[in-house]
């Protein structure tokens, strides 16, 4: 049973930076799409970034491209999201999510769909003030 625990959220002023972490445990052998989703009040949960542990490939949605960076820790059991140039519209609960993928498979061919991910953390709040 994969378990994911996020940390690193907080309050920051616009233009600032934060780094989120996701500690993963319980993995079986194989590869995973490791992703960050976020959900703002009154809005649907949206996938914003993903990394394929099978090859390190990454994908970002346009709203965060160039400002956020997703990465894996050296031990591959930690996922990070470095967020820079934060905006008030980045305010949301941020979730770590995972799903198995075959080696060579794509994590983003159909976009980042919440229903495709079976493992979720409890979330960490990010608040950006203007």
């Amino acid at each position: 049973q994969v378990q994911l625990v996020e940390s690193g959220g907080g309050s920051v002023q616009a233009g600032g930076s934060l780094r989120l972490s996701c500690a993963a445990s319980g993995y079986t052998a194989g590869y995973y799409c490791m992703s960050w989703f976020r959900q703002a009040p009154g809005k649907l949960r949206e996938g914003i970034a993903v990394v394929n542990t099978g090859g390190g490939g990454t994908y970002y949605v346009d709203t965060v491209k160039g400002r956020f960076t997703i990465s894996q820790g050296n031990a591959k059991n930690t996922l990070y999201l470095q967020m820079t140039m934060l905006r008030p519209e980045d305010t949301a609960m941020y979730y770590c999510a995972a799903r198995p993928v075959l080696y060579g498979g794509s994590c983003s061919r159909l976009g980042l769909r919440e229903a495709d991910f079976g493992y979720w953390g409890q979330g960490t709040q990010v608040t950006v003030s203007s």
Side-chain angles (χ1 to χ4, degrees):
Q1 179 73 10
V2 175
Q3 293 184 320
L4 305 171
V5 179
E6 303 95 334
S7 61
S11 297
V12 65
Q13 289 192 325
S17 300
L18 279 175
R19 189 175 80 157
L20 306 183
S21 299
C22 173
S25 62
Y27 280 125
T28 59
Y31 304 100
Y32 290 81
C33 297
M34 299 294 299
S35 184
W36 287 98
F37 282 71
R38 67 184 181 186
Q39 187 168 21
K43 295 189 176 182
L44 297 175
R45 192 174 298 188
E46 62 166 341
I48 57 173
V50 66
V51 60
N52 188 327
T53 67
T58 59
Y59 166 83
Y60 301 89
V61 295
D62 288 345
T63 50
V64 306
K65 196 177 296 182
R67 300 188 299 124
F68 293 7
T69 303
I70 190 171
S71 62
Q72 303 174 78
N74 289 335
K76 300 291 191 283
N77 60 354
T78 305
L79 182 71
Y80 300 105
L81 185 69
Q82 179 68 48
M83 305 186 294
T84 65
M85 297 181 284
L86 282 162
R87 305 165 180 169
E89 54 264 39
D90 294 318
T91 295
M93 185 73 79
Y94 283 71
Y95 298 89
C96 176
R99 67 174 176 88
V101 66
L102 295 176
Y103 185 77
S106 171
C107 289
S108 58
R109 182 171 62 87
L110 299 178
L112 298 179
R113 302 183 304 182
E114 181 181 359
D116 291 338
F117 288 79
Y119 303 111
W120 292 87
Q122 82 290 349
T124 186
Q125 177 68 38
V126 171
T127 302
V128 184
S129 58
S130 57

